[in-house]
Amino acid sequence: KTLSHKTHIFLPHLVASMEQVEETYIMVKPDAVQRGLVGEIISRFEKKGFKLTGLKLFECPKELAEEHYKDLKSKSFFPKLIDYITSGPVVCMAWEGVGVVASARKLIGSTDPLQADPGTIRGDLAVQTGRNVVHGSDSPENGKREIALWFKEGELCQWTPAQAPWLRE
Ligand code: ADP
């Protein structure tokens, strides 16, 4: 039997699940780790109200960087991009929420930080495409693919934030 509208009011987690909870892979790139921006970048997503489900500091092997960016293999900047991503530790994160993929891309801003709007992570914290501090998946499908690529199963946590009823009606 379908649930009445009234029942939904008291089951926010159920309503959210019916509104397509997505997951996205966010990564603090090596330049931001070196510049001490890890906390600043994590807090942008945390304050917005998305749910963190995975988090680790990680030295990315070359093969993983190449697999992650395989769609860019033909680009002239590809070797430099792989050197950049493997140049030091990155912070790997999985975030979950309704609309999280597109919203995270907005919070991150344009690929070229000089074009990125003020208020976005790249707009506020970076000046060059080759050092643009953070990655975010560009579609729900890639969100799933990238989380599976960067995390092992036991590394992800399913939990209910205490603030959930104060974020979504
Ligand atoms: P985004 O990360 O905004 O989704 P893309 O998928 O187009 O952007 O590119 C992936 C990453 O490759 C960028 O974030 C950036 O680190 C790097 N990149 C893209 N274009 C260039 C470029 N012209 N020169 C150097 N690095 C680039």
Side-chain angles (χ1 to χ4, degrees):
K1 293 272 174 210
T2 53
L3 294 161
S4 73
H5 179 67
K6 249 188 178 164
T7 313
H8 284 173
I9 291 168
F10 300 106
L11 294 170
H13 56 287
L14 185 59
V15 175
S17 74
M18 294 170 79
E19 281 180 279
Q20 285 288 321
V21 176
E22 299 172 350
E23 28 183 13
T24 192
Y25 176 65
I26 303 293
M27 178 165 67
V28 181
K29 293 179 175 179
D31 50 333
V33 175
Q34 297 292 345
R35 292 174 56 204
L37 297 173
V38 172
E40 166 80 34
I41 292 173
I42 294 176
S43 74
R44 301 280 179 121
F45 301 96
E46 197 177 33
K47 285 179 198 161
K48 173 74 172 170
F50 293 121
K51 180 167 84 174
L52 184 65
T53 56
L55 175 69
K56 66 178 177 185
L57 187 68
F58 183 63
E59 280 178 304
C60 171
K62 195 170 181 230
E63 302 71 44
L64 179 57
E66 287 172 346
E67 175 64 21
H68 175 80
Y69 283 122
K70 66 179 181 203
D71 293 347
L72 299 174
K73 203 155 194 165
S74 62
K75 304 282 183 188
S76 60
F77 60 80
F78 186 75
K80 267 194 345 185
L81 173 59
I82 300 307
D83 284 348
Y84 164 44
I85 296 301
T86 58
S87 64
V90 294
V91 176
C92 309
M93 293 184 276
W95 288 90
E96 192 182 283
V98 175
V100 71
V101 174
S103 177
R105 297 276 294 183
K106 277 192 181 171
L107 291 172
I108 288 170
S110 302
T111 305
D112 177 355
L114 292 183
Q115 301 304 320
D117 289 337
T120 65
I121 296 170
R122 288 170 175 164
D124 289 350
L125 304 175
V127 291
Q128 202 191 26
T129 303
R131 297 285 184 271
N132 64 1
V133 300
V134 65
H135 165 82
S137 308
D138 63 6
S139 67
E141 297 69 39
N142 277 335
K144 281 190 195 305
R145 176 183 86 86
E146 292 170 5
I147 288 169
L149 193 60
W150 290 85
F151 286 98
K152 296 179 198 140
E153 212 171 284
E155 291 177 334
L156 299 169
C157 287
Q158 273 315 327
W159 59 294
T160 303
Q163 61 174 344
W166 302 103
L167 281 162
R168 298 185 57 86
E169 60 180 10

